Amino acid sequence: MTEAYIYDAARSPRGKGRKDGSLHEVTSVALSAQMLNAIKERNNLPTTGIEDVIWGNVTQVMENGGCLARASVLLSDFDQSVPGLAINRFCASGMEAVNLVANQIKAGAGEAYIAGGVEMMSRVAMGSDGAAMAVDPRLAMGENFMPQGVSADLIATEYGFSREDCDSFAAQSQDRAAKAWEENRFAKSIVPVRDQNDLIILDRDEYMRPGTTAEDLNKLKASFKDMGEVMPGFDAVALMKYPHLEKINHVHHAGNSSGIVDGATALLIGSKEYGEKHGLTPRARIRATAKIGSEPTINLTGPVPVTEKILADSGMSISDIDLFEVNEAFAAVVLRFLQAFEVDDAKVNVNGGAIALGHPLGATGAMIIGTLLDELERSDKEVGLATLCVAAGMGAATIIERV
């Protein structure tokens, strides 16, 4: 079987996902095209050899609709012969793009692809595409639908994580992200974003709040308490599914949940023969991929079973993994991962995560694979695992190995 190798990973800095954020005036297609062009220029690519661009994007309406992947190719400097495929597996869309590409190459369906994704949350609001899970009464009532914030609080309640636990984890994410920028750990991947006049408008993640302490975070109001306890009263829905709990402890807020941001990322993935043909040096091989469905009410527990699955499928154990990237959708998601596998905290999200840096939905899964690769190289480690929880009760994971 042909192996799939990562040759390059490029990402934009993450901009505040608000109208006053630095990237608000940049469209989704323009930001995507800049990432494609960066990959082309950095690797001196003749793009006629690219089989496809597979691009994750969650909210596929308005400027994000109409196959954003193909639109991005046409706006970029890629040859028009390169097609594009837009995909949506919610928060794991960017990772699924990488995993699809890896498995296409392994199957012999093309020598090289670009995988990645984008989300411009300041321009196209999260949830503006609607969702049958939330609005179809047969589905919502039949599956005890819960919004993710209340589901995160349910995880904290079910597995015993306090407000203090979540705030301490969030403060650590801020500290680690600030240190990563101070030490230029992201420099290999970051592509400064330019406006229509070719002027740099953002070259650094702008969502971070360096110096944030757990004591600072303790002052914030729990974001999902009213949604759970008052209207529409989702705590009652949770307790129907988890009747052994007396009540839901609402511990999550804006400071220990993932940030709403704008961002995009692209990875060049190809066979060994493709790299040799074009004088490229592989940085890592994609050793394994996995996805799984998980319980849809508690919703965000997918990283645990999908990690169990990917390890079992590849004949590995948790001790074979040197570094982990677990998307910080909410603090309790990563705390549950640490609890389930008894993993050393020093191996997980060592450069911070989405709590400090933000979570551009369609891009994050591919971004954390790039971050993991950079850190494996920086710290001279060999094997890394990236994983995310996914809306509607799913999980995705990727294992990479340096070469």
Side-chain angles (χ1 to χ4, degrees), residues 7 10 27 46 105 108 121 127 131 134 142 184 204-205 218 224 226 241 251 283 289 296 301 305 335 360 373 391:
Y7 287 97
T27 65
I105 291 170
M121 302 178 77
N184 293 317
R204 181 181 177 88
D205 293 318
N218 189 52
F224 311 104
D226 290 346
K241 196 68 171 281
V251 299
R283 297 172 63 189
T289 69
T301 55
L335 292 174
L373 175 56

PDB file of all heavy atoms in Angstrom, residues 7 10 27 46 105 108 121 127 131 134 142 184 204-205 218 224 226 241 251 283 289 296 301 305 335 360 373 391:
ATOM      1  N   TYR A   7       4.026  16.981   3.507  1.00  0.00           N
ATOM      2  CA  TYR A   7       5.195  17.735   3.045  1.00  0.00           C
ATOM      3  C   TYR A   7       5.226  19.159   3.579  1.00  0.00           C
ATOM      4  O   TYR A   7       6.299  19.743   3.756  1.00  0.00           O
ATOM      5  CB  TYR A   7       5.234  17.743   1.513  1.00  0.00           C
ATOM      6  CG  TYR A   7       5.627  16.408   0.940  1.00  0.00           C
ATOM      7  CD1 TYR A   7       4.662  15.504   0.506  1.00  0.00           C
ATOM      8  CD2 TYR A   7       6.962  16.027   0.860  1.00  0.00           C
ATOM      9  CE1 TYR A   7       5.022  14.264  -0.006  1.00  0.00           C
ATOM     10  CE2 TYR A   7       7.337  14.797   0.359  1.00  0.00           C
ATOM     11  CZ  TYR A   7       6.362  13.915  -0.075  1.00  0.00           C
ATOM     12  OH  TYR A   7       6.733  12.684  -0.564  1.00  0.00           O
ATOM     13  N   ALA A  10       0.548  24.914   6.390  1.00  0.00           N
ATOM     14  CA  ALA A  10       0.513  26.376   6.506  1.00  0.00           C
ATOM     15  C   ALA A  10      -0.825  26.789   7.106  1.00  0.00           C
ATOM     16  O   ALA A  10      -1.862  26.205   6.783  1.00  0.00           O
ATOM     17  CB  ALA A  10       0.680  27.023   5.130  1.00  0.00           C
ATOM     18  N   THR A  27     -12.729  37.774   2.878  1.00  0.00           N
ATOM     19  CA  THR A  27     -13.742  36.751   2.657  1.00  0.00           C
ATOM     20  C   THR A  27     -13.170  35.348   2.879  1.00  0.00           C
ATOM     21  O   THR A  27     -11.954  35.136   2.848  1.00  0.00           O
ATOM     22  CB  THR A  27     -14.312  36.832   1.237  1.00  0.00           C
ATOM     23  OG1 THR A  27     -13.264  36.533   0.305  1.00  0.00           O
ATOM     24  CG2 THR A  27     -14.898  38.208   0.952  1.00  0.00           C
ATOM     25  N   PRO A  46       4.242  22.782  -9.220  1.00  0.00           N
ATOM     26  CA  PRO A  46       3.470  22.842 -10.461  1.00  0.00           C
ATOM     27  C   PRO A  46       2.080  22.268 -10.157  1.00  0.00           C
ATOM     28  O   PRO A  46       1.915  21.059 -10.012  1.00  0.00           O
ATOM     29  CB  PRO A  46       4.260  21.936 -11.407  1.00  0.00           C
ATOM     30  CG  PRO A  46       4.967  20.976 -10.500  1.00  0.00           C
ATOM     31  CD  PRO A  46       5.171  21.666  -9.182  1.00  0.00           C
ATOM     32  N   ILE A 105      -4.703   8.582  -1.181  1.00  0.00           N
ATOM     33  CA  ILE A 105      -3.324   8.328  -1.638  1.00  0.00           C
ATOM     34  C   ILE A 105      -2.938   6.881  -1.355  1.00  0.00           C
ATOM     35  O   ILE A 105      -2.336   6.201  -2.207  1.00  0.00           O
ATOM     36  CB  ILE A 105      -2.349   9.309  -0.960  1.00  0.00           C
ATOM     37  CG1 ILE A 105      -2.591  10.727  -1.505  1.00  0.00           C
ATOM     38  CG2 ILE A 105      -0.901   8.887  -1.181  1.00  0.00           C
ATOM     39  CD1 ILE A 105      -1.858  11.810  -0.744  1.00  0.00           C
ATOM     40  N   GLY A 108      -4.110   4.629  -3.917  1.00  0.00           N
ATOM     41  CA  GLY A 108      -3.592   4.829  -5.255  1.00  0.00           C
ATOM     42  C   GLY A 108      -4.404   5.791  -6.107  1.00  0.00           C
ATOM     43  O   GLY A 108      -4.209   5.858  -7.334  1.00  0.00           O
ATOM     44  N   MET A 121     -15.875  33.162  11.119  1.00  0.00           N
ATOM     45  CA  MET A 121     -17.008  33.222  12.037  1.00  0.00           C
ATOM     46  C   MET A 121     -17.481  34.643  12.288  1.00  0.00           C
ATOM     47  O   MET A 121     -18.576  34.855  12.814  1.00  0.00           O
ATOM     48  CB  MET A 121     -16.643  32.488  13.327  1.00  0.00           C
ATOM     49  CG  MET A 121     -16.265  31.033  13.062  1.00  0.00           C
ATOM     50  SD  MET A 121     -15.750  30.089  14.514  1.00  0.00           S
ATOM     51  CE  MET A 121     -17.335  29.774  15.281  1.00  0.00           C
ATOM     52  N   GLY A 127     -24.095  28.388  13.065  1.00  0.00           N
ATOM     53  CA  GLY A 127     -25.497  27.991  13.185  1.00  0.00           C
ATOM     54  C   GLY A 127     -26.427  28.617  12.169  1.00  0.00           C
ATOM     55  O   GLY A 127     -27.620  28.278  12.128  1.00  0.00           O
ATOM     56  N   ALA A 131     -30.093  23.321  11.305  1.00  0.00           N
ATOM     57  CA  ALA A 131     -29.684  21.954  11.622  1.00  0.00           C
ATOM     58  C   ALA A 131     -30.900  21.116  11.963  1.00  0.00           C
ATOM     59  O   ALA A 131     -31.677  21.467  12.863  1.00  0.00           O
ATOM     60  CB  ALA A 131     -28.709  21.939  12.790  1.00  0.00           C
ATOM     61  N   ALA A 134     -31.453  20.044  15.570  1.00  0.00           N
ATOM     62  CA  ALA A 134     -32.037  20.978  16.527  1.00  0.00           C
ATOM     63  C   ALA A 134     -33.502  21.296  16.246  1.00  0.00           C
ATOM     64  O   ALA A 134     -34.263  21.573  17.170  1.00  0.00           O
ATOM     65  CB  ALA A 134     -31.231  22.275  16.542  1.00  0.00           C
ATOM     66  N   GLY A 142     -36.346  12.668  19.961  1.00  0.00           N
ATOM     67  CA  GLY A 142     -35.989  11.250  19.978  1.00  0.00           C
ATOM     68  C   GLY A 142     -34.576  10.994  20.460  1.00  0.00           C
ATOM     69  O   GLY A 142     -34.296   9.973  21.099  1.00  0.00           O
ATOM     70  N   ASN A 184       8.401  31.680  19.329  1.00  0.00           N
ATOM     71  CA  ASN A 184       8.232  31.520  17.876  1.00  0.00           C
ATOM     72  C   ASN A 184       8.001  30.070  17.459  1.00  0.00           C
ATOM     73  O   ASN A 184       8.451  29.636  16.393  1.00  0.00           O
ATOM     74  CB  ASN A 184       9.450  32.079  17.132  1.00  0.00           C
ATOM     75  CG  ASN A 184       9.572  33.578  17.265  1.00  0.00           C
ATOM     76  OD1 ASN A 184       8.584  34.303  17.172  1.00  0.00           O
ATOM     77  ND2 ASN A 184      10.790  34.053  17.510  1.00  0.00           N
ATOM     78  N   ARG A 204      -0.253  37.366  13.705  1.00  0.00           N
ATOM     79  CA  ARG A 204      -0.184  36.753  15.035  1.00  0.00           C
ATOM     80  C   ARG A 204      -1.598  36.429  15.505  1.00  0.00           C
ATOM     81  O   ARG A 204      -2.529  37.191  15.250  1.00  0.00           O
ATOM     82  CB  ARG A 204       0.483  37.736  16.001  1.00  0.00           C
ATOM     83  CG  ARG A 204       0.653  37.244  17.437  1.00  0.00           C
ATOM     84  CD  ARG A 204       1.300  38.349  18.275  1.00  0.00           C
ATOM     85  NE  ARG A 204       1.431  37.989  19.681  1.00  0.00           N
ATOM     86  CZ  ARG A 204       2.458  37.348  20.205  1.00  0.00           C
ATOM     87  NH1 ARG A 204       3.469  36.999  19.420  1.00  0.00           N
ATOM     88  NH2 ARG A 204       2.511  37.068  21.492  1.00  0.00           N
ATOM     89  N   ASP A 205      -1.772  35.300  16.158  1.00  0.00           N
ATOM     90  CA  ASP A 205      -3.087  34.970  16.720  1.00  0.00           C
ATOM     91  C   ASP A 205      -3.535  36.089  17.653  1.00  0.00           C
ATOM     92  O   ASP A 205      -2.817  36.437  18.601  1.00  0.00           O
ATOM     93  CB  ASP A 205      -3.012  33.646  17.504  1.00  0.00           C
ATOM     94  CG  ASP A 205      -2.752  32.446  16.609  1.00  0.00           C
ATOM     95  OD1 ASP A 205      -3.362  32.377  15.524  1.00  0.00           O
ATOM     96  OD2 ASP A 205      -1.945  31.579  16.985  1.00  0.00           O
ATOM     97  N   ASN A 218     -12.603  32.942  37.337  1.00  0.00           N
ATOM     98  CA  ASN A 218     -13.622  32.623  38.344  1.00  0.00           C
ATOM     99  C   ASN A 218     -14.670  33.721  38.480  1.00  0.00           C
ATOM    100  O   ASN A 218     -15.763  33.499  39.004  1.00  0.00           O
ATOM    101  CB  ASN A 218     -12.950  32.368  39.689  1.00  0.00           C
ATOM    102  CG  ASN A 218     -13.918  31.817  40.715  1.00  0.00           C
ATOM    103  OD1 ASN A 218     -14.613  30.836  40.454  1.00  0.00           O
ATOM    104  ND2 ASN A 218     -13.967  32.440  41.882  1.00  0.00           N
ATOM    105  N   PHE A 224     -23.980  28.868  30.236  1.00  0.00           N
ATOM    106  CA  PHE A 224     -25.071  27.992  29.810  1.00  0.00           C
ATOM    107  C   PHE A 224     -26.053  27.662  30.932  1.00  0.00           C
ATOM    108  O   PHE A 224     -26.915  26.797  30.761  1.00  0.00           O
ATOM    109  CB  PHE A 224     -24.476  26.714  29.198  1.00  0.00           C
ATOM    110  CG  PHE A 224     -23.416  27.016  28.173  1.00  0.00           C
ATOM    111  CD1 PHE A 224     -22.070  26.848  28.469  1.00  0.00           C
ATOM    112  CD2 PHE A 224     -23.764  27.530  26.934  1.00  0.00           C
ATOM    113  CE1 PHE A 224     -21.094  27.153  27.538  1.00  0.00           C
ATOM    114  CE2 PHE A 224     -22.791  27.840  25.991  1.00  0.00           C
ATOM    115  CZ  PHE A 224     -21.452  27.650  26.295  1.00  0.00           C
ATOM    116  N   ASP A 226     -28.518  29.590  32.328  1.00  0.00           N
ATOM    117  CA  ASP A 226     -29.911  29.955  32.027  1.00  0.00           C
ATOM    118  C   ASP A 226     -30.493  29.051  30.954  1.00  0.00           C
ATOM    119  O   ASP A 226     -31.655  28.640  31.031  1.00  0.00           O
ATOM    120  CB  ASP A 226     -29.985  31.415  31.578  1.00  0.00           C
ATOM    121  CG  ASP A 226     -29.721  32.390  32.717  1.00  0.00           C
ATOM    122  OD1 ASP A 226     -29.744  31.950  33.888  1.00  0.00           O
ATOM    123  OD2 ASP A 226     -29.472  33.578  32.440  1.00  0.00           O
ATOM    124  N   LYS A 241     -31.849  11.650  30.157  1.00  0.00           N
ATOM    125  CA  LYS A 241     -30.898  10.676  29.618  1.00  0.00           C
ATOM    126  C   LYS A 241     -29.940  10.173  30.695  1.00  0.00           C
ATOM    127  O   LYS A 241     -29.435   9.056  30.629  1.00  0.00           O
ATOM    128  CB  LYS A 241     -30.102  11.335  28.485  1.00  0.00           C
ATOM    129  CG  LYS A 241     -29.362  10.372  27.574  1.00  0.00           C
ATOM    130  CD  LYS A 241     -30.311   9.535  26.738  1.00  0.00           C
ATOM    131  CE  LYS A 241     -29.604   8.732  25.669  1.00  0.00           C
ATOM    132  NZ  LYS A 241     -29.267   9.536  24.498  1.00  0.00           N
ATOM    133  N   VAL A 251     -20.403  24.918  34.616  1.00  0.00           N
ATOM    134  CA  VAL A 251     -19.035  25.353  34.919  1.00  0.00           C
ATOM    135  C   VAL A 251     -18.346  26.055  33.750  1.00  0.00           C
ATOM    136  O   VAL A 251     -17.271  26.625  33.922  1.00  0.00           O
ATOM    137  CB  VAL A 251     -18.174  24.151  35.368  1.00  0.00           C
ATOM    138  CG1 VAL A 251     -18.746  23.504  36.626  1.00  0.00           C
ATOM    139  CG2 VAL A 251     -18.050  23.113  34.246  1.00  0.00           C
ATOM    140  N   ARG A 283       7.892  15.363   5.847  1.00  0.00           N
ATOM    141  CA  ARG A 283       8.068  15.686   7.264  1.00  0.00           C
ATOM    142  C   ARG A 283       7.479  14.611   8.180  1.00  0.00           C
ATOM    143  O   ARG A 283       7.978  14.377   9.277  1.00  0.00           O
ATOM    144  CB  ARG A 283       7.435  17.034   7.568  1.00  0.00           C
ATOM    145  CG  ARG A 283       8.086  18.188   6.808  1.00  0.00           C
ATOM    146  CD  ARG A 283       7.328  19.482   6.981  1.00  0.00           C
ATOM    147  NE  ARG A 283       7.310  19.921   8.369  1.00  0.00           N
ATOM    148  CZ  ARG A 283       6.572  20.933   8.818  1.00  0.00           C
ATOM    149  NH1 ARG A 283       5.795  21.616   7.986  1.00  0.00           N
ATOM    150  NH2 ARG A 283       6.615  21.266  10.099  1.00  0.00           N
ATOM    151  N   THR A 289      -5.893   6.752  10.621  1.00  0.00           N
ATOM    152  CA  THR A 289      -7.018   7.679  10.716  1.00  0.00           C
ATOM    153  C   THR A 289      -8.220   6.935  11.291  1.00  0.00           C
ATOM    154  O   THR A 289      -8.315   5.707  11.161  1.00  0.00           O
ATOM    155  CB  THR A 289      -7.407   8.250   9.338  1.00  0.00           C
ATOM    156  OG1 THR A 289      -7.985   7.215   8.532  1.00  0.00           O
ATOM    157  CG2 THR A 289      -6.198   8.839   8.617  1.00  0.00           C
ATOM    158  N   PRO A 296     -25.196  11.045  21.456  1.00  0.00           N
ATOM    159  CA  PRO A 296     -25.455  12.404  20.981  1.00  0.00           C
ATOM    160  C   PRO A 296     -25.967  13.403  22.012  1.00  0.00           C
ATOM    161  O   PRO A 296     -25.952  14.604  21.726  1.00  0.00           O
ATOM    162  CB  PRO A 296     -26.496  12.190  19.876  1.00  0.00           C
ATOM    163  CG  PRO A 296     -27.193  10.935  20.261  1.00  0.00           C
ATOM    164  CD  PRO A 296     -26.154  10.076  20.903  1.00  0.00           C
ATOM    165  N   THR A 301     -18.012  13.587  23.877  1.00  0.00           N
ATOM    166  CA  THR A 301     -17.096  12.606  24.465  1.00  0.00           C
ATOM    167  C   THR A 301     -16.328  11.814  23.412  1.00  0.00           C
ATOM    168  O   THR A 301     -15.539  10.932  23.743  1.00  0.00           O
ATOM    169  CB  THR A 301     -17.869  11.618  25.356  1.00  0.00           C
ATOM    170  OG1 THR A 301     -18.927  11.026  24.586  1.00  0.00           O
ATOM    171  CG2 THR A 301     -18.450  12.322  26.573  1.00  0.00           C
ATOM    172  N   PRO A 305     -13.550   7.416  22.757  1.00  0.00           N
ATOM    173  CA  PRO A 305     -13.723   6.178  21.978  1.00  0.00           C
ATOM    174  C   PRO A 305     -12.986   6.180  20.638  1.00  0.00           C
ATOM    175  O   PRO A 305     -12.538   5.124  20.186  1.00  0.00           O
ATOM    176  CB  PRO A 305     -15.240   6.079  21.779  1.00  0.00           C
ATOM    177  CG  PRO A 305     -15.757   7.461  21.974  1.00  0.00           C
ATOM    178  CD  PRO A 305     -14.855   8.071  23.006  1.00  0.00           C
ATOM    179  N   LEU A 335     -10.176  17.531  29.806  1.00  0.00           N
ATOM    180  CA  LEU A 335     -10.040  16.927  31.132  1.00  0.00           C
ATOM    181  C   LEU A 335     -10.538  15.485  31.127  1.00  0.00           C
ATOM    182  O   LEU A 335      -9.945  14.613  31.775  1.00  0.00           O
ATOM    183  CB  LEU A 335     -10.810  17.751  32.168  1.00  0.00           C
ATOM    184  CG  LEU A 335     -10.241  19.139  32.461  1.00  0.00           C
ATOM    185  CD1 LEU A 335     -11.182  19.907  33.396  1.00  0.00           C
ATOM    186  CD2 LEU A 335      -8.849  19.051  33.083  1.00  0.00           C
ATOM    187  N   PRO A 360     -11.575  27.989  14.713  1.00  0.00           N
ATOM    188  CA  PRO A 360     -12.246  28.240  13.436  1.00  0.00           C
ATOM    189  C   PRO A 360     -12.766  26.913  12.867  1.00  0.00           C
ATOM    190  O   PRO A 360     -12.025  26.156  12.233  1.00  0.00           O
ATOM    191  CB  PRO A 360     -11.135  28.838  12.568  1.00  0.00           C
ATOM    192  CG  PRO A 360      -9.874  28.263  13.120  1.00  0.00           C
ATOM    193  CD  PRO A 360     -10.109  28.032  14.586  1.00  0.00           C
ATOM    194  N   LEU A 373       2.646  18.436  14.197  1.00  0.00           N
ATOM    195  CA  LEU A 373       3.850  18.171  13.403  1.00  0.00           C
ATOM    196  C   LEU A 373       4.978  19.123  13.776  1.00  0.00           C
ATOM    197  O   LEU A 373       6.129  18.703  13.986  1.00  0.00           O
ATOM    198  CB  LEU A 373       3.518  18.287  11.919  1.00  0.00           C
ATOM    199  CG  LEU A 373       4.680  18.151  10.940  1.00  0.00           C
ATOM    200  CD1 LEU A 373       5.424  16.845  11.139  1.00  0.00           C
ATOM    201  CD2 LEU A 373       4.169  18.281   9.512  1.00  0.00           C
ATOM    202  N   ALA A 391     -19.741  17.712  16.859  1.00  0.00           N
ATOM    203  CA  ALA A 391     -21.158  17.920  17.127  1.00  0.00           C
ATOM    204  C   ALA A 391     -21.990  16.709  16.715  1.00  0.00           C
ATOM    205  O   ALA A 391     -21.595  15.936  15.850  1.00  0.00           O
ATOM    206  CB  ALA A 391     -21.647  19.161  16.382  1.00  0.00           C
TER     207      ALA A 391
END
